[in-house]
Amino acid sequence: MTFATLGLIEPLLRALETLGYQTPTPVQAQAIPAVLAGRDLMAAAQTGTGKTAGFAVPLLQLLTLEGPKVAANSARALILCPTRELAEQVHASVAEYAQHLPLTTYAVYGGVSINPQMMKLRKGVDILVATPGRLIDLFRQNALKLNQLQTLVLDEADRMLDLGFSEELANIYRMLPKKRQTLLFSATFSDDIRLLAGQMLNDPLSIEVSPRNVAANTVKQWVVPVDKKRKPELFVHLMRKGRWKQVLVFAKTRNGVDALVDKLQGLGINADGIHGDKPQATRQRALDRFKSSDVQILVATDVAARGLDIEDLPLVVNFDLPIVAEDYIHRIGRTGRAGNTGEAISLVCADEVNMLSAIEMLTRQTLTRKTEPDFEPEHRVPDTDASGQVVKKPKKPKKPKASGGGGKSNLGKWVDSGDAAPVEPSIKPVRKVPVFNTGPRKKK
Ligand code: AMP
């Protein structure tokens, strides 16, 4: 199959050829004809599958061939993304695909001044990429009208809910024309996403290019058990041992990012960090420097790192496991993209056993453990497996204190080593439950 056989117009074929896209990826092969036919779409596609072109390319074709010219302060298509970085990245891809078309594109997000965005929107744009909060601000300030909107794309919809955007999405939903095409993309499909899809989509075509909730099989994954306090030391040890050249590291909190970056920089290691507290320009600069290999180690929180496309990234390290199990799939999806192989290493301490169990259950695999010599944890990480059970080893029998002479004998409870290993009840994945309430569904 070629892009030409999918019925794409010449300016798009030319752009794709320049980018070196020879054959459509599976998600593109399914999504492009469906979008061109005007269908709503519910697509489960992992990161790195080419989903951006899957929705953007046919969308550009529809906007070129159909519909009126864009009006002032209007947009004909809206792509909603969970983070500023992803909005920038999606916009950069859309602009590349649109390079030979007479269409305008633009990205708006928070953390930067709203005035230039308001100015830019005056003439209207064909495709607007936006994060939910800033979109609502622009709408409320009358800088943007949505009555001309033909198509809405929800990119990484699961992440938008995880980040707490359910209320913003409900507000945006009320701002949209009822007659429109809606495309929903998500790497994972929870019940909340299915609920959202039920409200927003009209008779959608379902596309699933990889088994549900399974991480890319091009990524080799394993876990290194370690005590919490020794994680920084272990990280540096593994880095030196493995001669790591370019690593994206995930830490749970902003403070965690800063602490690790300080520690690495203190050792003369070329590291930088990105998280939600840093200004947008600083985050973008760190990311650009990481992409161009001027920075060797980039430490990030999930919010900052969502959806980043870094070519040939060989390694992702989970310095901390994510609280939301689905994030594990997104994190390791930063490597092993577009058919390349990659590695994902997770440093796991005893406190994180429930998160590990949730990840194994979600990805339906028991992650291999490789204990590093000299870093064996004092606080053992209990055994886990893909069934979601955390297996605690039987406690060692307590020896009765030697009762000498006339002293009292020890009558404390004795645990026989032959007792069955206590097994905790099945542990559910750790996740936030977003609330999405849009009222009754409106038909097209
Ligand atoms: P995405 O999943 O949209 O983030 O895309 C992941 C990567 O695959 C990006 O670097 C794209 O430029 C690249 N890509 C997308 N579609 C194709 C294709 N058909 N052939 C080769 N590379 C592609």
Side-chain angles (χ1 to χ4, degrees):
M1 188 190 293
T2 62
F3 284 106
T5 56
L6 294 177
L8 294 178
I9 53 176
E10 191 277 332
L12 283 169
L13 293 175
R14 206 159 15 118
L16 295 175
E17 196 182 329
T18 317
L19 291 170
Y21 294 11
Q22 283 167 356
T23 37
T25 64
V27 70
Q28 291 163 1
Q30 293 182 63
I32 292 173
V35 177
L36 288 177
R39 291 287 304 264
D40 277 9
L41 212 64
M42 173 159 148
Q46 287 171 267
T47 48
T49 54
K51 64 185 166 70
T52 315
F55 63 76
V57 167
L59 181 56
L60 288 165
Q61 177 148 332
L62 291 182
L63 294 171
T64 306
L65 301 181
E66 295 171 10
K69 219 172 150 292
V70 71
N73 292 103
S74 297
R76 296 170 66 204
L78 172 64
I79 303 173
L80 280 180
C81 298
T83 65
R84 304 158 192 183
E85 283 81 6
L86 189 62
E88 269 294 344
Q89 188 175 294
V90 167
H91 177 251
S93 298
V94 171
E96 279 185 320
Y97 306 141
Q99 59 186 284
H100 304 300
L101 295 173
L103 296 174
T104 49
T105 65
Y106 189 49
V108 293
Y109 39 78
V112 293
S113 168
I114 198 168
N115 292 337
Q117 298 178 349
M118 293 170 93
M119 299 273 284
K120 180 81 187 183
L121 286 173
R122 277 190 190 161
K123 283 189 182 158
V125 288
D126 291 293
I127 296 195
L128 183 65
V129 186
T131 52
R134 180 53 59 98
L135 181 89
I136 292 173
D137 285 350
L138 287 162
F139 183 83
R140 292 201 174 137
Q141 298 196 39
N142 291 325
L144 179 68
K145 290 177 249 164
L146 291 173
N147 44 353
Q148 220 193 349
L149 195 86
Q150 289 174 224
T151 307
L152 168 72
V153 181
L154 297 164
D155 193 15
E156 309 224 354
D158 50 347
R159 184 60 176 175
M160 285 199 264
L161 292 190
D162 284 344
L163 288 175
F165 284 133
S166 55
E167 211 166 291
E168 281 84 351
L169 289 181
N171 284 334
I172 292 169
Y173 176 71
R174 285 191 279 270
M175 289 152 32
L176 299 171
K178 285 179 201 139
K179 189 174 176 305
R180 59 163 201 274
Q181 184 179 28
T182 309
L183 315 174
L184 186 149
F185 283 77
S186 190
T188 51
F189 267 80
S190 61
D191 292 342
D192 300 302
I193 289 293
R194 288 178 193 279
L195 182 69
L196 172 70
Q199 289 161 328
M200 286 247 195
L201 305 178
N202 180 27
D203 184 26
L205 183 78
S206 283
I207 292 181
E208 203 165 330
V209 292
S210 53
R212 270 178 73 185
N213 297 339
V214 172
N217 56 15
T218 47
V219 183
K220 199 172 148 216
Q221 307 158 54
W222 72 93
V223 162
V224 187
V226 64
D227 282 333
K228 194 180 199 163
K229 61 180 187 306
R230 296 198 70 197
K231 280 190 179 187
E233 201 188 331
L234 173 64
F235 179 86
V236 173
H237 165 80
L238 290 173
M239 191 191 120
R240 290 190 170 141
K241 186 175 146 188
R243 294 169 194 271
W244 293 345
K245 295 212 165 50
Q246 194 192 24
V247 196
L248 180 60
V249 187
F250 287 95
K252 199 163 49 189
T253 61
R254 297 163 185 192
N255 286 343
V257 168
D258 290 339
L260 184 60
V261 170
D262 284 351
K263 159 111 190 159
L264 295 175
Q265 288 177 345
L267 292 168
I269 296 166
N270 186 356
D272 206 345
I274 53 174
H275 56 62
D277 271 352
K278 298 205 175 195
Q280 180 58 23
T282 313
R283 286 157 66 170
Q284 196 62 46
R285 197 167 49 241
L287 181 63
D288 290 343
R289 293 189 64 224
F290 181 64
K291 283 186 175 183
S292 62
S293 300
D294 291 331
V295 163
Q296 184 187 2
I297 314 274
L298 186 67
V299 191
T301 54
D302 285 294
V303 175
R306 177 75 178 191
L308 304 179
D309 181 32
I310 300 155
E311 240 171 85
D312 295 331
L313 182 64
L315 176 63
V316 166
V317 172
N318 292 311
F319 188 80
D320 302 309
L321 284 183
I323 295 167
V324 180
E326 277 96 346
D327 281 344
Y328 177 82
I329 298 174
H330 295 301
R331 287 179 175 191
I332 72 164
R334 307 298 117 211
T335 177
R337 287 164 87 81
N340 291 324
T341 53
E343 290 183 343
I345 305 174
S346 302
L347 314 188
V348 178
C349 65
D351 286 0
E352 293 173 305
V353 68
N354 285 358
M355 296 173 201
L356 178 62
S357 171
I359 288 164
E360 292 184 334
M361 203 161 92
L362 183 75
T363 58
R364 298 187 207 116
Q365 62 183 336
T366 305
L367 292 169
T368 308
R369 297 187 182 200
K370 293 185 187 173
T371 304
E372 192 60 25
D374 298 332
F375 286 91
E376 294 90 354
E378 277 172 28
H379 302 281
R380 208 183 134 264
V381 183
D383 290 339
T384 50
D385 63 32
S387 71
Q389 289 192 331
V390 178
V391 184
K392 288 194 174 141
K393 280 253 170 86
K395 282 188 183 143
K396 280 196 183 147
K398 267 191 202 158
K399 283 194 186 133
K401 277 186 193 151
S403 51
K408 280 185 187 167
S409 67
N410 188 325
L411 300 173
K413 202 171 174 216
W414 175 274
V415 182
D416 189 88
S417 60
D419 281 354
V423 176
E424 281 192 0
S426 162
I427 288 182
K428 295 239 162 65
V430 188
R431 56 192 295 278
K432 296 171 206 149
V433 181
V435 182
F436 185 78
N437 181 8
T438 59
R441 179 175 168 201
K442 290 177 188 146
K443 286 256 176 269
K444 269 188 187 180

